[in-house]
Amino acid sequence: MKNKILILLALTAFSGYAQKKAKTVAIKPKAEFVADLMAKMTVDEKIYQLVQFSSDGTVTGPKQGDNYITRIQQGKVGSVLNATGAANTRMIQKINLDNSRLKIPLLFGHDVIHGYKTIFPINLGMASSFDPSAVELAARVAATEASSSGVHWTFAPMVDIARDPRWGRVSEGSGEDVFLGAKMAVANVKGFQGDDLSKNNTILACAKHFAAYGAAEAGRDYNTTDMSERVLRDTYLPPFKAAVDAGVKTFMASFNEISGVPSTANRHLMRDILKGEWKWNGMIVSDYTGVNEMIAHGFAKDDKDAAQLALNAGLDMDMVGGTFMSTLKQSYDEGKVSIDVINDACKRVLDVKYDLGLFEDPYRYCDEKREKETIYRPDFLEASLDVARKSLVLLKNNNSVLPLKKEQKIAFVRAAGER
C-alpha cells in the first residue's frame, strides 16, 4: 500500500511538472503558427483583430461605441487602449480568453511617453542632452515599469520634425533637427523593445505620427500640409526610416492630410513607401478616432467609406473609432475590400502578438509581485535624476554666470527629505 501511495505521488508530481513544462515549450515558428491560426479564422474574426477599444481607464478623446467589456465578450476586440495594472489586465485578458473561440490574446496599449510611473524630462528636454544613451535608458526604465503593469505597447516615440514653434506638440518630439531626431528615434526604439521582445520587460514601440504631422500649416494641430516629395523625404521621413532600421514594430498614422489626402488613408505613405519601398513588416494603427475624422477632412462621406479607404490604403488597426468593427464586413461582402487586404492586416496584428510571446503565455505581463517590486525602483529614480541633469539647458547666460571662475563661491542647498 505504501509503495502504491509513493507511485501515485510520483505520478502526480510528474503530471504537475509536465504541465509546468508545457507552458515553456516553444510553439511553432511565427510564419507557420500565424498561417495555421488564420486558416481557422472566419472573416469576421480577422476583422475583429483590427479593432481597438478604449477601457474605462484614462480617456484621451471621444469614446466610440458601448461598453468595451461587452465587445470583448462578443469577440469583437483585438486590442484594448489604456487598461493598466497587472491585476486589471489579467482580469480583462481572462474575460477575453474565456470567450475567444481560438484563444487569441488581447494586446494592451497605453501612452508611455517620457516615463510610466517614474517620470523623465519631456522628450524635447531629453533630446537637448544630445545623449542617445540617456534617452535609451529612459525608454528602458519606462518599458520595464509599464510591462510590469500589464502594458504591451506604447505609442512612442514621437519622431515628428517640428519647424513651427506655434505647434502645440513640439515638446513631445526631438525638435527641428533631422539628424538628431533620427538618433533619438533609434535610442527610444532600442530602449522600449530591447534586444528580445519575448522578454517580459519589453514593450512594442510605435513611431508616430506618420507623416509630416509637425508641418501643419500655422502650427494648427490636425491641419493640412502642402509640401514637395523632396521636402517630405529630406526633412520629415528620415527619423521614421531610422526607426524602421532599428526594428520598430508599429507605426501610427498622423491626423493631418498631405496635399489633400489624410495620412490615415494615404496609400503613398503606407503601401508605397513604408510597406513597399522600405519593406517594413510591422503594424500600422490609426491615431485616436483618426479614421472617423477623415469625414471632417472632407475626404470620406461616412464611417463605412472612411474604413474601406483606410484599410485599402494600408492601415491595419482602427484606434477606438469602431469603424472597422461595424462596417468592414459589409464592405468585404460588397467587394470593396478584398480578403487579401484583410489577411495582410490581420497577419500583422497576430505577428506582433506572437513576438511578445502572448500566444505562449497571455498573462506573462500580469504579475502583481513583479509590478510591486518594479514600480519606483530606487535605481529608476536615480536614473530619472541623472537624465534630468543631462537635459538641463541654459537659456540665457545673464552676467556671464558660466563658465564658473575659480574665485567664485557656490552654495549647495539640499532640500529637506532629499536623498
Side-chain angles (χ1 to χ4, degrees):
M1 182 66 180
K2 185 177 179 180
N3 289 338
K4 289 182 179 180
I5 292 173
L6 289 173
I7 292 171
L8 180 60
L9 288 172
L11 288 172
T12 303
F14 177 79
S15 176
Y17 173 79
Q19 288 176 2
K20 289 180 181 179
K21 290 294 286 182
K23 290 183 178 181
T24 61
V25 170
I27 58 178
K28 294 178 182 178
K30 180 166 67 174
E32 184 181 355
F33 177 88
V34 172
D36 287 349
L37 178 58
M38 289 184 63
K40 302 170 187 174
M41 297 172 72
T42 65
V43 174
D44 282 320
E45 287 171 331
K46 291 173 181 176
I47 289 172
Y48 295 146
Q49 283 301 302
L50 318 182
V51 175
Q52 183 180 72
F53 259 66
S54 180
S55 74
D56 295 326
T58 305
V59 178
T60 55
K63 285 186 70 172
Q64 300 286 328
D66 51 17
N67 188 292
Y68 78 105
I69 292 293
T70 301
R71 293 302 190 190
I72 291 172
Q73 290 170 332
Q74 295 170 343
K76 294 182 176 181
V77 180
S79 175
V80 174
L81 177 66
N82 291 332
T84 61
N88 183 45
T89 52
R90 175 179 286 275
M91 179 270 292
I92 298 170
Q93 189 73 276
K94 186 176 187 307
I95 292 171
N96 167 65
L97 294 173
D98 285 349
N99 291 277
S100 173
R101 184 178 74 90
L102 296 172
K103 308 302 178 188
I104 300 175
L106 290 170
L107 183 67
F108 292 105
H110 185 66
D111 278 312
V112 183
I113 306 302
H114 54 102
Y116 178 64
K117 293 295 185 180
T118 300
I119 300 301
F120 288 80
I122 61 171
N123 299 77
L124 187 63
M126 286 193 283
S128 300
S129 71
F130 290 86
D131 186 347
S133 64
V135 173
E136 183 175 343
L137 173 62
R140 182 87 294 277
V141 169
T144 304
E145 284 195 337
S147 63
S148 78
S149 194
V151 176
H152 305 142
W153 181 20
T154 177
F155 305 109
M158 189 183 102
V159 301
D160 299 301
I161 297 299
R163 296 283 174 87
D164 190 331
R166 295 173 295 181
W167 187 45
R169 297 190 71 172
V170 172
S171 62
E172 198 180 331
S174 297
E176 65 179 359
D177 186 82
V178 179
F179 179 81
L180 179 64
K183 292 294 184 183
M184 295 304 164
V186 171
N188 272 294
V189 171
K190 287 182 176 178
F192 286 127
Q193 295 189 171
D195 57 5
D196 183 357
L197 265 174
S198 67
K199 294 178 179 177
N200 68 354
N201 64 349
T202 61
I203 58 178
L204 298 168
C206 182
K208 69 181 189 183
H209 306 81
F210 196 60
Y213 193 39
E217 288 182 355
R220 294 176 179 172
D221 213 19
Y222 301 17
N223 204 2
T224 189
T225 63
D226 192 5
M227 65 176 61
S228 67
E229 184 78 3
R230 178 180 175 181
V231 172
L232 178 68
R233 288 181 177 272
D234 286 354
T235 302
Y236 295 96
L237 293 189
F240 289 100
K241 182 58 166 63
V244 167
D245 292 342
V248 71
K249 290 292 185 178
T250 72
F251 261 54
M252 180 184 288
S254 56
F255 277 125
N256 60 283
E257 60 178 41
I258 299 177
S259 303
V261 182
S263 298
T264 310
N266 196 311
R267 177 181 290 269
H268 180 55
L269 285 177
M270 294 189 286
R271 291 216 185 274
D272 295 348
I273 296 176
L274 182 56
K275 294 181 175 181
E277 181 182 327
W278 294 352
K279 301 186 187 309
W280 181 73
N281 60 5
M283 178 186 74
I284 310 175
V285 64
S286 75
D287 209 332
Y288 203 108
T289 66
V291 178
N292 316 71
E293 290 175 24
M294 289 197 292
I295 302 169
H297 275 292
F299 192 76
K301 62 183 180 181
D302 54 27
D303 281 352
K304 180 184 173 186
D305 188 36
Q308 65 193 36
L309 284 168
L311 189 73
N312 283 330
L315 192 76
D316 301 311
M317 181 176 285
D318 174 14
M319 179 186 282
V320 182
T323 63
F324 283 12
M325 181 190 70
S326 60
T327 71
L328 277 185
K329 181 60 186 319
Q330 185 179 355
S331 295
Y332 166 75
D333 290 339
E334 294 171 354
K336 294 177 180 177
V337 296
S338 70
I339 191 60
D340 289 342
V341 169
I342 293 171
N343 281 343
D344 178 63
C346 180
K347 178 183 179 300
R348 290 169 184 269
V349 174
L350 297 177
D351 277 351
V352 297
K353 292 183 178 184
Y354 183 101
D355 291 337
L356 288 166
L358 295 178
F359 287 106
E360 278 189 287
D361 180 7
Y363 302 109
R364 66 187 306 143
Y365 287 69
C366 306
D367 185 338
E368 292 177 73
K369 182 175 181 291
R370 183 168 79 92
E371 181 181 34
K372 186 176 181 180
E373 294 171 346
T374 301
I375 301 298
Y376 296 131
R377 266 175 32 189
D379 56 320
F380 291 173
L381 298 176
E382 184 59 38
S384 173
L385 180 60
D386 183 57
V387 175
R389 292 190 189 104
K390 293 175 178 176
S391 301
L392 290 172
V393 176
L394 180 67
L395 295 179
K396 195 172 183 179
N397 193 13
N398 284 334
N399 302 319
S400 299
V401 171
L402 294 179
L404 296 174
K405 302 175 181 62
K406 290 183 179 180
E407 63 272 17
Q408 282 182 289
K409 293 182 179 180
I410 303 172
F412 290 93
V413 181
R414 178 176 176 179
E418 186 182 34
R419 290 186 294 107

